[in-house]
Amino acid sequence: PGSRNLHWGEKSPPYGVPGPSTPLEGPAEEPFPGGSSGGGVPGQSTEQLNRFAGFGIGLASLFTENVLAHPCIVLRRQCQVNYHARHYHLTPFTVINIMYSFNKTQGPRALWKGMGSTFIVQGVTLGAEGIISEFTPLPREISHKWNPKQIGEHLLLKSLTYMVAMPFYSASLIETVQSEIIRDNTGILECVKEGIGRVIGLGVPHSKRLLPLLSLIFPTVLHGVLHYIISSIIQKFVLLILKRKTYSSHLAESTSPVQSMLDAYFPELIANFAASLCSDVILYPLETVLHRLHIQGTRTIIDNTDLGYEVLPINTQYEGMRDCINTIRQEEGVLGFYKGFGAVIIQYTLHAAVLQITKIIYSTLLQNSA
């Protein structure tokens, strides 16, 4: 967002010189609807503000998803794997209380542990997808003229990517749920070391209850592919509704330049927000099962999410995905699949608040520069 796309053969106009216009394409110096016509100093300053604002909006969204929401992810995962827990933390009020207890007894690091490994997993995922798509005919993007074969090949690429990233995801999960009380000061590349060790069977000794990676492929790929499909469908659906709403408002009445520029940036952010929220909520039970299977047999010690202090070992003995589902339903009830769901509510409430604050700041900057 914020960059100006040039057409073939078109050159960027010098500072203060109006860009040429052609009968087919219209004025080239008006990259945004409702923007200033003419290439004088006001137009240049507005374009620079647009580029800066676009970068700032994207940065704020990334910061919220990966940094500000990380304590919620940590607590949510700890609650999911804690089969001992009597308090399920289904509401944000109990989640905030237990977060305060962890911060008081262990310090702020207890809520931001494993954040570096989550970035490593994202990097491994993107790198694996790019490499696989380069050396195979599997498409990384789906064209507008798609067909079932192209969709199947694209989903196969996603499945292979999740398989490659799976051992590193497992190592990252351990880092985020391991209690800070007994945790060593591990380096940022410990996730890579543990992931490779999990593949070749070396590294930290595990118990006999550790499930082999082959047993984890199906639930991991199933969760990843379903998450991708649900989020993609909802994202396109919400984006279509917002664009139609914006188009109707443009036809009904003249829209201010400020609103026009807001319409250029925020529909995609809102669509991404809605897609992530819906896919996380729909797949939360499956994510609980997946995390319990990944953590089993790794000798991980987690925090007691009932008290806010003390530690608990993970001693589950699930034979596989089906056994895990049946055991949770019988011993913990249906709500056992939603342990820690209050953290999801806090996470997306924070995300929505940051989007709204960013929108207010951006509107104020545009109005002051107009």
Side-chain angles (χ1 to χ4, degrees), residues 71-238:
C72 300
I73 296 174
V74 168
L75 191 67
R76 149 186 173 181
R77 291 180 174 182
Q78 284 192 319
C79 292
Q80 285 177 323
V81 301
N82 187 1
Y83 66 97
H84 302 281
R86 290 174 295 177
H87 299 291
Y88 288 8
H89 299 295
L90 302 176
T91 65
F93 307 106
T94 59
V95 169
I96 293 175
N97 185 36
I98 204 70
M99 278 185 175
Y100 173 76
S101 299
F102 286 153
N103 183 73
K104 184 178 179 180
T105 56
Q106 303 178 36
R109 289 184 57 183
L111 298 177
W112 268 273
K113 57 190 175 187
M115 187 170 64
S117 65
T118 58
F119 287 110
I120 290 177
V121 172
Q122 292 179 14
V124 170
T125 304
L126 292 175
E129 183 177 346
I131 293 173
I132 294 174
S133 64
E134 285 292 327
F135 290 95
T136 62
L138 302 178
R140 195 171 185 178
E141 301 288 342
I142 297 179
S143 62
H144 294 290
K145 298 181 180 180
W146 55 270
N147 54 60
K149 179 183 177 182
Q150 189 181 39
I151 293 180
E153 292 177 344
H154 180 66
L155 293 180
L156 177 59
L157 172 63
K158 292 291 183 182
S159 301
L160 294 175
T161 301
Y162 297 137
M163 289 173 59
V164 173
M166 181 177 62
F168 305 101
Y169 179 83
S170 182
S172 174
L173 174 65
I174 295 173
E175 285 193 24
T176 53
V177 301
Q178 182 93 330
S179 177
E180 195 70 20
I181 297 176
I182 53 94
R183 177 187 173 88
D184 297 328
N185 291 326
T186 55
I188 191 173
L189 296 179
E190 191 70 20
C191 172
V192 179
K193 177 183 174 182
E194 289 293 328
I196 297 175
R198 183 76 180 269
V199 175
I200 63 179
L202 297 176
V204 179
H206 301 114
S207 70
K208 295 180 180 179
R209 301 186 311 275
L210 181 71
L211 293 173
L213 288 177
L214 289 176
S215 302
L216 298 175
I217 288 178
F218 177 73
T220 303
V221 172
L222 177 65
H223 176 267
V225 171
L226 287 179
H227 195 282
Y228 175 73
I229 292 174
I230 294 173
S231 59
S232 299
I233 293 175
I234 293 177
Q235 181 184 9
K236 294 184 182 301
F237 180 71
V238 173

Side-chain angles (χ1 to χ4, degrees), residues 98 101-102 105-106 179 181 302-312:
I98 204 70
S101 299
F102 286 153
T105 56
Q106 303 178 36
S179 177
I181 297 176
I302 66 170
D303 295 306
N304 189 333
T305 56
D306 286 337
L307 304 176
Y309 55 90
E310 296 182 353
V311 293
L312 297 170

